[in-house]
Amino acid sequence: MTLYLIAFLGFMVIGIPVAFSLGLASLTYLVINDQTHLLIGFPQKMIAGIDNFVLLTIPFFILAGNLMNSADLTRQIVRFAQLLVGRVQGGLAAVNVVASMMFSGVSGAATAEASAIGSVMIPSMRRDGYAPEYAAALTAAGSILGPLVPPSLSLILYGVLTGTSIADLFLAGIVPAFLLCGLLIVYVLVKARREGHPLPPEVSKEERRGLALKALPALLLPVIIVGGIRSGIFTPTEAAAVAAVYALAVGTMLYRTLSLRKILAAFYETATMTAGVMLIVAMASMTSFILGIENIPQAIAAQLLQISSSPWVLILLLNGVLLVLGLFLEPLAALVLAMPILNEIFPLLHIDPVQFGIMVVLNLMIGMITPPVGLCLFIVSAIGQVSLEKVARAVLPMIGICLIILTLVAFVPFLTLALPLFFKG
């Protein structure tokens, strides 16, 4: 396995994309270990990795998010968030967090949220006198709300890989997401009073009347998704298709901001993003095959038991490993890569699979905003035109807040299981 890891990191260092690095590392392992006879099964393993009907949800949800974003929904959400927050000191920073929470029900991915919210909020906060690194760091921290609520792509993939109910996972992430949102708002308001941040501009009375109506269709999207799945009206895959049709209808008939060119661009972006996701899943399937040959999952589980048999200690160790993994890998790739190992460790933890799924995904999301490699940090640094080092320093207190929520998710089952149990009820 050491050979595989060296090959994988080597390909990553020389600039080869993650998906191809995974595949090439598997190929290198088989060739050097004189197991070339297994190469004939390489394409079959790749196809088997993506041969799952529920994976169809991913392109449909990506399409829904792209269509909503193309319909200028981000700006509508930001203005409505400003109306909700009102005129308080540091209000524009609070608007950033609230807008991220509202946009979570559209994007489903942290990178999409960092790009969409960042392109609107970072320039606005800079114009109002906020430090650019603070504006960028806050946008990055808010971006991890997206993968915790429907239609989270990471939760969908976790559900596919483990057989866990996707509807339960969607419900389980809502309370942690709102808690994280609330703590971030408290942080920015306390910081505003301490550092004298400005008041946001007032929303005019004429604009207030239409803001709620303009933002309402976006806020209804996660309700339609979860409500439809939970009530049995449609399956997760059908819910994704309904979300895409809904986004298309809202953009063309209600907002009337979706031109044919924008629709075609959204379909093209969806196709390229979906191809990237599926390629990662397919290549990571070969990694799972290598792990199986070496019996790595069983070996790691045995090693952990030698360290401690306490579920609490094992959970802490696992969280540390996942945080580090999230530093270097995009969450979907990390999930496919880690799940064979996690499936062996999971029975030792004595926790619910839904709670475990939220814990795993939140870990990987925190990795995306953790210096020095977090992907969302690179995105917001580019948008804010500020050095990565400054953004990394500014985001550290917010990472502390995220770790508090992670600890609660890991050790307080009620936090994640209350809503799924209530709706089963």
Side-chain angles (χ1 to χ4, degrees), residues 53 71 140 151 200 293 414:
F53 185 71
I293 292 175
F414 180 79

Side-chain angles (χ1 to χ4, degrees), residues 101 145 148-149 171-182 358 362 405-406 408-409 414-417 419:
M101 185 70 223
L145 293 167
L148 291 178
V149 298
L171 289 169
I174 292 174
V175 173
F178 273 98
L179 277 179
L180 178 55
C181 177
I358 303 300
L362 182 54
I405 299 298
L406 176 61
L408 292 174
V409 167
F414 180 79
L415 198 65
T416 50
L417 300 182
L419 280 181

